[in-house]
Amino acid sequence: MKIGMCMFLWTTAVSKKHEPLLRDIKATGFDGVEIPIFAGTPDDYKKLGELLDRIGLERTAVSAMGDPAMNLIAADAATRKAGVDYMKWAIDCANALDASTLSGPLHSTLGAFSGSGPTAAEKKRSVASQRAIGDYAGKKGVTIGLEALNRFECYLLNTMADLSEHIDVIDRPHIKAMYDTFHANIEEADPIGAYTKHRRNVVHIHISENDRGVPGRGNIPWTETFSAIRKSGYDDWLTIEAFGRSLKDLAAATKVWRDFSESPEAVYRDGYKHIRNGWKRAV
Protein backbone atom coordinates (compact mmCIF):
# COMPACT_ATOMS: atom_id res chain seq x y z
CA MET A 1 0.00 0.00 0.00
CA LYS A 2 1.20 3.50 -0.87
CA ILE A 3 -0.03 6.76 0.63
CA GLY A 4 -0.49 9.78 -1.63
CA MET A 5 -1.56 13.40 -1.29
CA CYS A 6 -3.64 15.11 -3.98
CA MET A 7 -2.33 18.58 -4.76
CA PHE A 8 -5.86 19.94 -5.33
CA LEU A 9 -5.69 21.32 -1.79
CA TRP A 10 -3.28 23.97 -3.06
CA THR A 11 -3.24 24.18 -6.84
CA THR A 12 -4.27 22.80 -10.21
CA ALA A 13 -0.83 23.63 -11.64
CA VAL A 14 2.06 22.15 -9.66
CA SER A 15 5.43 23.70 -10.46
CA LYS A 16 8.90 24.24 -9.04
CA LYS A 17 7.54 26.94 -6.75
CA HIS A 18 5.83 24.15 -4.81
CA GLU A 19 9.13 22.38 -4.11
CA PRO A 20 9.25 23.32 -0.39
CA LEU A 21 5.71 21.96 0.07
CA LEU A 22 6.51 18.80 -1.89
CA ARG A 23 9.58 18.23 0.25
CA ASP A 24 7.53 18.61 3.43
CA ILE A 25 4.97 16.14 2.09
CA LYS A 26 7.83 13.72 1.49
CA ALA A 27 9.26 14.36 4.97
CA THR A 28 5.85 13.63 6.48
CA GLY A 29 6.13 10.12 5.08
CA PHE A 30 4.09 10.16 1.88
CA ASP A 31 5.11 7.84 -0.93
CA GLY A 32 3.86 10.19 -3.61
CA VAL A 33 1.56 12.97 -4.75
CA GLU A 34 -1.37 13.24 -7.13
CA ILE A 35 -0.68 15.81 -9.82
CA PRO A 36 -3.56 17.75 -11.44
CA ILE A 37 -3.44 17.90 -15.24
CA PHE A 38 -5.39 20.84 -16.64
CA ALA A 39 -2.94 22.91 -18.69
CA GLY A 40 0.56 22.84 -20.09
CA THR A 41 2.51 20.51 -22.35
CA PRO A 42 3.91 17.01 -21.93
CA ASP A 43 7.35 18.58 -21.65
CA ASP A 44 6.17 20.62 -18.65
CA TYR A 45 5.09 17.41 -16.92
CA LYS A 46 8.32 15.66 -17.85
CA LYS A 47 10.24 18.40 -16.04
CA LEU A 48 7.88 18.15 -13.07
CA GLY A 49 8.43 14.40 -12.99
CA GLU A 50 12.18 14.98 -12.85
CA LEU A 51 11.68 17.31 -9.88
CA LEU A 52 9.57 14.69 -8.11
CA ASP A 53 12.27 12.10 -8.80
CA ARG A 54 14.86 14.31 -7.12
CA ILE A 55 12.60 14.72 -4.10
CA GLY A 56 11.80 11.02 -4.00
CA LEU A 57 8.07 11.20 -4.61
CA GLU A 58 6.15 8.83 -6.86
CA ARG A 59 3.08 10.19 -8.59
CA THR A 60 -0.39 9.61 -9.94
CA ALA A 61 -2.41 12.03 -12.06
CA VAL A 62 -5.91 13.51 -11.85
CA SER A 63 -8.04 15.62 -14.14
CA ALA A 64 -11.64 16.60 -14.85
CA MET A 65 -13.61 17.99 -17.76
CA GLY A 66 -15.65 21.07 -16.98
CA ASP A 67 -16.11 22.47 -20.50
CA PRO A 68 -19.38 21.40 -22.19
CA ALA A 69 -17.63 21.96 -25.53
CA MET A 70 -15.75 18.68 -25.01
CA ASN A 71 -18.48 16.50 -23.53
CA LEU A 72 -17.77 12.81 -24.16
CA ILE A 73 -21.47 11.90 -24.15
CA ALA A 74 -22.79 14.77 -26.28
CA ALA A 75 -25.02 14.08 -29.29
CA ASP A 76 -22.71 16.21 -31.44
CA ALA A 77 -19.81 14.16 -32.84
CA ALA A 78 -17.43 17.15 -32.94
CA THR A 79 -18.05 17.82 -29.25
CA ARG A 80 -17.26 14.20 -28.39
CA LYS A 81 -14.11 14.31 -30.53
CA ALA A 82 -12.96 17.39 -28.65
CA GLY A 83 -13.36 15.45 -25.42
CA VAL A 84 -11.41 12.47 -26.75
CA ASP A 85 -8.67 14.83 -27.96
CA TYR A 86 -8.51 16.40 -24.50
CA MET A 87 -8.13 12.97 -22.94
CA LYS A 88 -5.36 12.03 -25.37
CA TRP A 89 -3.52 15.21 -24.38
CA ALA A 90 -4.01 14.45 -20.68
CA ILE A 91 -2.77 10.89 -21.22
CA ASP A 92 0.32 12.23 -22.99
CA CYS A 93 0.97 14.52 -20.02
CA ALA A 94 0.48 11.69 -17.52
CA ASN A 95 2.86 9.52 -19.51
CA ALA A 96 5.48 12.29 -19.56
CA LEU A 97 5.02 12.72 -15.81
CA ASP A 98 5.61 8.97 -15.44
CA ALA A 99 2.22 8.48 -13.81
CA SER A 100 0.69 5.10 -14.60
CA THR A 101 -2.83 6.12 -13.54
CA LEU A 102 -4.95 9.13 -14.52
CA SER A 103 -8.14 9.34 -12.48
CA GLY A 104 -11.18 11.55 -12.02
CA PRO A 105 -14.70 12.04 -13.41
CA LEU A 106 -13.35 11.60 -16.92
CA HIS A 107 -16.59 10.35 -18.39
CA SER A 108 -18.78 13.46 -18.66
CA THR A 109 -18.81 17.19 -18.06
CA LEU A 110 -18.41 18.09 -14.40
CA GLY A 111 -21.36 20.13 -13.13
CA ALA A 112 -23.40 19.88 -16.33
CA PHE A 113 -26.92 18.44 -16.11
CA SER A 114 -29.63 17.51 -18.59
CA GLY A 115 -32.47 17.67 -16.09
CA SER A 116 -32.92 13.90 -16.05
CA GLY A 117 -30.90 10.74 -15.64
CA PRO A 118 -28.56 9.32 -18.28
CA THR A 119 -30.21 8.02 -21.42
CA ALA A 120 -29.37 4.80 -23.25
CA ALA A 121 -28.03 6.92 -26.11
CA GLU A 122 -25.71 8.84 -23.79
CA LYS A 123 -24.36 5.62 -22.31
CA LYS A 124 -23.81 4.20 -25.79
CA ARG A 125 -21.89 7.31 -26.81
CA SER A 126 -19.90 7.08 -23.59
CA VAL A 127 -18.88 3.50 -24.39
CA ALA A 128 -17.61 4.54 -27.82
CA SER A 129 -15.68 7.51 -26.39
CA GLN A 130 -14.12 5.45 -23.61
CA ARG A 131 -13.08 2.69 -25.96
CA ALA A 132 -11.20 5.21 -28.10
CA ILE A 133 -9.61 6.68 -24.97
CA GLY A 134 -8.78 3.26 -23.58
CA ASP A 135 -7.07 2.15 -26.78
CA TYR A 136 -4.91 5.28 -26.74
CA ALA A 137 -4.18 4.98 -23.01
CA GLY A 138 -3.01 1.39 -23.51
CA LYS A 139 -0.47 2.50 -26.08
CA LYS A 140 0.90 5.04 -23.58
CA GLY A 141 0.93 2.70 -20.57
CA VAL A 142 -1.61 4.77 -18.64
CA THR A 143 -4.71 3.38 -16.92
CA ILE A 144 -7.78 5.61 -16.56
CA GLY A 145 -9.59 5.41 -13.22
CA LEU A 146 -13.12 6.66 -13.86
CA GLU A 147 -14.81 8.12 -10.79
CA ALA A 148 -18.44 7.83 -9.78
CA LEU A 149 -19.51 11.26 -8.53
CA ASN A 150 -22.42 12.21 -6.33
CA ARG A 151 -25.65 13.33 -8.02
CA PHE A 152 -24.94 17.02 -7.30
CA GLU A 153 -21.78 17.00 -9.44
CA CYS A 154 -22.74 14.77 -12.36
CA TYR A 155 -25.57 12.57 -13.58
CA LEU A 156 -23.95 9.91 -15.78
CA LEU A 157 -22.35 7.69 -13.12
CA ASN A 158 -23.23 8.15 -9.44
CA THR A 159 -22.74 4.70 -7.88
CA MET A 160 -20.04 2.07 -8.00
CA ALA A 161 -22.55 -0.42 -9.38
CA ASP A 162 -23.38 1.86 -12.31
CA LEU A 163 -19.72 2.64 -12.87
CA SER A 164 -18.55 -0.96 -12.70
CA GLU A 165 -21.30 -2.16 -15.03
CA HIS A 166 -20.35 0.58 -17.50
CA ILE A 167 -16.67 -0.39 -17.32
CA ASP A 168 -17.58 -4.01 -18.04
CA VAL A 169 -19.43 -2.89 -21.17
CA ILE A 170 -16.55 -0.65 -22.27
CA ASP A 171 -14.33 -3.72 -21.98
CA ARG A 172 -10.95 -2.06 -22.23
CA PRO A 173 -8.12 -3.07 -19.84
CA HIS A 174 -6.97 0.53 -19.46
CA ILE A 175 -10.41 1.89 -18.49
CA LYS A 176 -11.06 1.05 -14.85
CA ALA A 177 -12.63 2.57 -11.70
CA MET A 178 -11.67 4.77 -8.79
CA TYR A 179 -13.37 4.43 -5.41
CA ASP A 180 -13.85 7.67 -3.45
CA THR A 181 -15.01 7.53 0.17
CA PHE A 182 -16.63 11.00 -0.01
CA HIS A 183 -18.89 10.19 -2.94
CA ALA A 184 -19.67 6.70 -1.62
CA ASN A 185 -20.76 8.24 1.67
CA ILE A 186 -23.38 10.28 -0.19
CA GLU A 187 -24.64 7.88 -2.84
CA GLU A 188 -24.22 4.35 -1.52
CA ALA A 189 -26.64 2.64 0.87
CA ASP A 190 -23.70 0.37 1.74
CA PRO A 191 -20.41 2.22 1.08
CA ILE A 192 -18.28 -0.76 2.13
CA GLY A 193 -20.22 -3.19 -0.04
CA ALA A 194 -20.00 -0.75 -2.92
CA TYR A 195 -16.24 -1.21 -2.78
CA THR A 196 -16.04 -4.94 -2.14
CA LYS A 197 -18.63 -5.91 -4.76
CA HIS A 198 -16.77 -4.01 -7.46
CA ARG A 199 -13.18 -4.41 -6.29
CA ARG A 200 -12.30 -6.20 -9.54
CA ASN A 201 -12.45 -2.90 -11.43
CA VAL A 202 -10.87 -0.60 -8.81
CA VAL A 203 -7.37 0.67 -9.61
CA HIS A 204 -7.23 3.76 -7.40
CA ILE A 205 -8.74 4.96 -4.11
CA HIS A 206 -9.36 8.46 -2.79
CA ILE A 207 -9.40 8.84 0.98
CA SER A 208 -11.72 11.78 1.59
CA GLU A 209 -13.68 12.70 4.69
CA ASN A 210 -17.42 13.32 4.52
CA ASP A 211 -16.84 17.10 4.76
CA ARG A 212 -13.74 17.13 2.52
CA GLY A 213 -11.61 18.02 5.53
CA VAL A 214 -9.06 16.11 7.60
CA PRO A 215 -9.45 12.33 7.15
CA GLY A 216 -10.40 10.75 10.46
CA ARG A 217 -12.31 13.68 11.90
CA GLY A 218 -15.68 13.01 10.29
CA ASN A 219 -18.20 10.23 10.00
CA ILE A 220 -16.75 7.95 7.32
CA PRO A 221 -16.63 4.37 8.76
CA TRP A 222 -12.86 4.21 8.56
CA THR A 223 -12.28 1.01 10.54
CA GLU A 224 -14.59 -0.93 8.25
CA THR A 225 -13.27 0.87 5.16
CA PHE A 226 -9.61 0.09 5.78
CA SER A 227 -10.45 -3.47 6.77
CA ALA A 228 -12.42 -4.05 3.56
CA ILE A 229 -9.68 -2.56 1.40
CA ARG A 230 -6.95 -4.59 3.06
CA LYS A 231 -8.92 -7.85 3.00
CA SER A 232 -9.62 -7.35 -0.69
CA GLY A 233 -5.93 -7.58 -1.49
CA TYR A 234 -5.73 -4.01 -2.77
CA ASP A 235 -2.12 -2.90 -2.41
CA ASP A 236 -1.90 0.33 -4.37
CA TRP A 237 -2.57 4.03 -3.71
CA LEU A 238 -4.62 5.44 -0.85
CA THR A 239 -4.58 9.12 -1.81
CA ILE A 240 -5.94 11.91 0.37
CA GLU A 241 -8.25 14.28 -1.49
CA ALA A 242 -9.29 17.40 0.38
CA PHE A 243 -10.33 20.87 -0.73
CA GLY A 244 -10.01 24.44 0.50
CA ARG A 245 -11.03 27.94 -0.58
CA SER A 246 -7.74 29.09 -2.06
CA LEU A 247 -8.66 28.12 -5.63
CA LYS A 248 -11.84 29.99 -6.54
CA ASP A 249 -12.81 27.97 -9.62
CA LEU A 250 -12.16 24.63 -7.94
CA ALA A 251 -13.91 25.77 -4.77
CA ALA A 252 -16.96 26.71 -6.84
CA ALA A 253 -16.96 23.39 -8.69
CA THR A 254 -16.68 21.37 -5.48
CA LYS A 255 -19.08 23.62 -3.52
CA VAL A 256 -16.50 24.63 -0.93
CA TRP A 257 -17.73 27.72 0.92
CA ARG A 258 -15.88 27.34 4.21
CA ASP A 259 -12.63 26.01 5.63
CA PHE A 260 -12.73 22.37 6.68
CA SER A 261 -9.52 22.37 8.72
CA GLU A 262 -7.38 24.77 10.69
CA SER A 263 -4.60 24.50 8.09
CA PRO A 264 -3.51 22.52 5.02
CA GLU A 265 -0.72 21.06 7.16
CA ALA A 266 -3.31 19.48 9.45
CA VAL A 267 -4.90 17.77 6.44
CA TYR A 268 -1.79 16.05 5.20
CA ARG A 269 0.05 15.50 8.47
CA ASP A 270 -2.92 14.23 10.49
CA GLY A 271 -4.35 12.56 7.40
CA TYR A 272 -1.14 10.62 6.83
CA LYS A 273 -1.16 9.35 10.42
CA HIS A 274 -4.82 8.41 10.07
CA ILE A 275 -4.16 6.23 7.03
CA ARG A 276 -0.98 4.68 8.39
CA ASN A 277 -2.55 3.81 11.73
CA GLY A 278 -5.83 2.70 10.17
CA TRP A 279 -4.04 0.35 7.82
CA LYS A 280 -1.98 -1.16 10.63
CA ARG A 281 -5.10 -1.83 12.68
CA ALA A 282 -7.10 -3.23 9.75
CA VAL A 283 -7.83 -6.93 10.02
Side-chain angles (χ1 to χ4, degrees), residues 18-66:
H18 296 103
E19 183 172 352
L21 170 61
L22 293 165
R23 290 192 177 278
D24 194 56
I25 289 172
K26 171 65 177 178
T28 299
F30 284 87
D31 299 290
V33 288
E34 189 152 88
I35 300 296
I37 294 179
F38 286 94
T41 67
D43 189 56
D44 294 329
Y45 290 93
K46 182 176 185 296
K47 292 176 182 177
L48 177 57
E50 292 168 350
L51 171 62
L52 295 174
D53 285 340
R54 292 194 294 273
I55 296 171
L57 286 168
E58 297 180 51
R59 75 286 328 218
T60 58
V62 64
S63 191
M65 306 172 74

Side-chain angles (χ1 to χ4, degrees), residues 268-283:
Y268 68 86
R269 291 173 185 168
D270 290 359
Y272 174 83
K273 294 175 185 176
H274 170 67
I275 296 175
R276 179 60 64 193
N277 292 335
W279 191 258
K280 287 180 180 178
R281 291 193 297 263
V283 293

